[in-house]
């Protein structure tokens, strides 16, 4: 039996062989601690970390000193949000974010509310984009931080980062963006977009799990964050813990490849995505979720009318690995908070599918997937006498 076709690249990606190959010597051979300054083993590891740091800095147009390695985007988001809140609470206690953010942003915000901070969870428009006028109205003199994601992990919608950054700079609030889905897929420039803090992760761009980055602006303006992990003073005191050299080397290689191939891979993914959508749309009563153009090239999120979401997923599972528009929270199934924020009715949200097309998917796979999805939907609709 063949395994299902993997189309869940927003959840995680396979490690690219080229990334793995770059990492391997750093497990057994160049295994030194990058903080060991007295011998060659340490110097070798430190040199590799330095190369990776510079690659990542170049990719987003910042300096190497502004890159802080973390274990994940979750940790980077926590460090950015709690770190700014703790460093600037005497200046203000108001934070603005979006209802469609990842839980790794929403949950730290909720945590801060318990500590006495005030958080505005801005609604989004029907297409998933932030309403900039509503955003400007929500800003207050005591707003210290705005956290708005670069690209959404469910619907792929890309927020107008440069416009948001401009408004934040004008109004004196720091701008953090969760770019876990965006890095290597769309151009990101922290200077042009006036981004002050940015989270990225390895395992969505063909590097391994367990490595992330927080970019922290050092000048114009300088951003201070309170450490959330205390110890040996690594990463200029912002995140202690021995650097995970092999993962860092892997992330550097993955970012380098993604930037190098961004244009060609982006148009390849877009044509696969458009092909899938065109084929599926033919059967009717299927709705595209999120803005039709301002979205990641490999993302397709749809709601299917006239079918039961669980039955649909069960029918698809033997052939493809995709995600549904619902999540199990404490044993009961709830529709995704992102689809809810778009105003999609619960019954359609339950019958939603997220296709995340990635680097290793082929046109043949998309043909197989669309055929099987169409047959499954049609037979479910027949059974349901829809
Ligand atoms: C995957 C993801 C995260 C979490 O990243 P981890 O590295 O798995 O912690 C955060 N935000 C977004 C938008 C994501 O897609």
């Amino acid at each position: 039996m063949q395994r299902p076709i993997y189309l869940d690249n927003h959840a995680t990606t396979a490690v690219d062989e080229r990334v793995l190959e770059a990492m391997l010597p750093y497990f057994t051979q160049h295994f030194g601690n990058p903080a060991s300054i007295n011998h060659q083993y340490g110097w070798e590891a430190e040199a590799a970390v330095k190369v990776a740091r510079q690659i990542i800095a170049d990719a987003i147009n910042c300096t190497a000193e502004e890159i802080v390695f973390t274990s994940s985007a979750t940790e980077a988001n926590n460090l950015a949000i709690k770190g700014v809140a703790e460093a600037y609470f005497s200046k203000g206690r108001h934070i603005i974010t979006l209802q469609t953010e990842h839980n790794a942003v929403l949950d730290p915000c909720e945590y801060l509310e318990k500590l006495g901070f005030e958080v505005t969870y801005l609604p989004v428009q029907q297409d998933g984009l932030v309403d900039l006028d509503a955003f400007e109205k929500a800003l207050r003199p005591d707003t210290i931080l705005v956290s708005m994601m670069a690209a959404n992990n469910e619907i792929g919608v890309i927020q107008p980062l440069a416009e948001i950054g401009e408004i934040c700079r004008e109004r004196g609030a720091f701008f953090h963006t969760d770019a876990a889905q965006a890095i290597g897929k769309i151009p990101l420039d922290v200077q042009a977009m006036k981004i002050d803090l940015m989270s990225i992760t390895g395992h969505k761009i063909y590097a391994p799990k367990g490595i992330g980055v927080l970019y922290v602006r050092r000048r114009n303006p300088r951003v201070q964050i309170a450490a959330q992990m205390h110890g040996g003073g690594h990463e200029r005191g912002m995140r202690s813990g021995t650097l995970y050299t092999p993962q860092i080397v892997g992330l550097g290689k993955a970012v380098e490849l993604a930037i190098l191939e961004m244009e060609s891979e982006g148009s390849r993914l877009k044509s696969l995505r458009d092909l899938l959508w065109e084929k599926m749309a033919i059967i009717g009563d299927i709705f595209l979720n999120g803005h039709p153009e301002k979205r990641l090239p490999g993302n397709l999120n749809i709601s299917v009318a006239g079918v039961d979401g669980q039955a649909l997923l069960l029918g698809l599972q033997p052939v493809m690995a995709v995600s549904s528009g619902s999540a199990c929270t404490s044993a009961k199934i709830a529709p995704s908070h992102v689809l809810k924020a778009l105003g999609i009715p619960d019954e359609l949200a339950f019958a939603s599918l997220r296709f995340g097309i990635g680097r290793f998917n082929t046109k043949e796979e998309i043909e197989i997937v669309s055929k099987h999805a169409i047959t499954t939907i049609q037979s479910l609709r027949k059974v349901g006498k829809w």
Side-chain angles (χ1 to χ4, degrees):
M1 261 266 294
Q2 266 195 321
R3 296 169 80 209
I5 294 166
Y6 190 74
L7 280 172
D8 203 12
N9 287 283
H10 297 308
T12 197
T13 57
V15 173
D16 191 301
E17 297 279 354
R18 298 169 289 182
V19 170
L20 178 63
E21 202 176 311
M23 291 171 63
L24 286 175
Y26 292 91
F27 286 102
T28 51
Q29 228 180 324
H30 309 301
F31 59 84
N33 186 332
S36 299
I37 55 171
N38 298 317
H39 51 70
Q40 192 182 341
Y41 295 84
W43 303 333
E44 287 166 0
E46 165 59 16
V49 168
K50 194 174 168 194
V51 170
R53 206 185 283 281
Q54 193 60 54
I55 291 170
I56 298 161
D58 290 343
I60 62 170
N61 194 18
C62 72
T63 65
E65 296 73 38
E66 295 173 310
I67 297 294
V68 176
F69 288 110
T70 66
S71 65
S72 60
T74 298
E75 189 192 335
N77 286 342
N78 272 266
L79 180 55
I81 295 166
K82 295 178 193 166
V84 164
E86 198 181 324
Y88 292 92
F89 73 94
S90 56
K91 184 175 169 254
R93 298 185 188 182
H94 182 234
I95 295 169
I96 299 177
T97 188
L98 293 176
Q99 290 177 0
T100 51
E101 292 291 320
H102 192 277
N103 280 323
V105 164
L106 295 175
D107 289 3
C109 285
E110 279 171 31
Y111 170 79
L112 287 173
E113 281 184 292
K114 285 186 208 143
L115 299 185
F117 286 84
E118 241 186 285
V119 182
T120 301
Y121 302 90
L122 276 181
V124 294
Q125 304 176 101
Q126 253 186 353
D127 57 12
L129 287 168
V130 61
D131 178 340
L132 290 172
D133 290 333
F135 167 46
E136 285 204 73
K137 287 196 186 97
L139 278 156
R140 312 190 318 210
D142 64 338
T143 308
I144 51 172
L145 180 67
V146 171
S147 183
M148 293 191 189
M149 67 203 319
N152 187 274
N153 47 298
E154 290 188 35
I155 52 177
V157 166
I158 298 164
Q159 298 295 347
L161 298 177
E163 281 90 335
I164 298 167
E166 183 68 48
I167 294 167
C168 289
R169 189 63 54 85
E170 240 167 57
R171 303 284 293 269
F174 291 133
F175 176 29
H176 166 252
T177 190
D178 176 351
Q181 296 288 345
I183 179 83
K185 292 170 197 151
I186 58 167
L188 291 171
D189 182 328
V190 297
Q191 307 310 336
M193 295 168 166
K194 299 186 168 66
I195 295 166
D196 301 312
L197 301 121
M198 180 160 85
S199 307
I200 70 174
T201 189
H203 73 102
K204 312 272 173 81
I205 51 162
Y206 314 95
K209 295 158 191 65
I211 185 71
V213 160
L214 180 64
Y215 152 74
V216 185
R217 178 177 288 279
R218 287 242 290 180
R219 47 199 299 266
N220 304 321
R222 181 184 183 88
V223 181
Q224 282 179 308
I225 54 169
Q228 304 298 305
M229 187 78 80
H230 302 92
H234 307 79
E235 300 299 84
R236 296 188 329 285
M238 285 184 270
R239 202 282 190 178
S240 287
T242 298
L243 290 177
Y244 194 173
T245 318
Q247 306 295 89
I248 291 170
V249 169
L251 179 59
K253 187 70 186 176
V255 167
E256 181 181 75
L257 292 171
I259 297 289
L260 210 65
E261 298 168 2
M262 181 157 58
E263 251 188 63
S264 57
E265 180 63 3
S267 59
R268 190 187 76 90
L269 290 177
K270 185 179 177 303
S271 69
L272 290 183
R273 191 268 315 275
D274 291 347
L275 177 70
L276 180 59
W277 172 232
E278 278 159 28
K279 290 200 176 248
M280 303 223 11
I282 290 173
I283 61 172
D285 294 301
I286 293 189
F287 310 102
L288 180 68
N289 297 322
H291 195 283
E293 279 105 40
K294 293 175 183 168
R295 63 197 297 120
L296 294 172
N299 174 279
L300 181 67
N301 191 308
I302 54 169
S303 293
V304 184
V307 302
D308 172 66
Q310 279 307 104
L312 176 60
L313 214 55
L314 274 174
L316 299 182
Q317 267 165 4
V319 175
M320 66 195 81
V322 295
S323 273
S324 76
S326 52
C328 281
T329 47
S330 60
K332 80 167 196 269
I333 302 176
S336 119
H337 70 279
V338 175
L339 299 182
K340 246 182 135 68
L342 300 193
I344 294 166
D346 280 5
E347 71 195 62
L348 267 183
F350 278 128
S352 295
L353 298 170
R354 177 186 69 178
F355 297 91
I357 306 169
R359 187 176 287 168
F360 306 116
N361 290 122
T362 62
K363 193 172 174 207
E364 290 68 43
E365 289 179 329
I366 298 302
E367 305 271 1
I368 295 169
V369 161
S370 59
K371 250 188 218 137
H372 182 75
I374 289 170
T375 329
T376 308
I377 293 166
Q378 283 176 333
S379 67
L380 284 174
R381 280 178 177 172
K382 209 178 266 168
V383 172
K385 299 202 168 41
W386 191 68

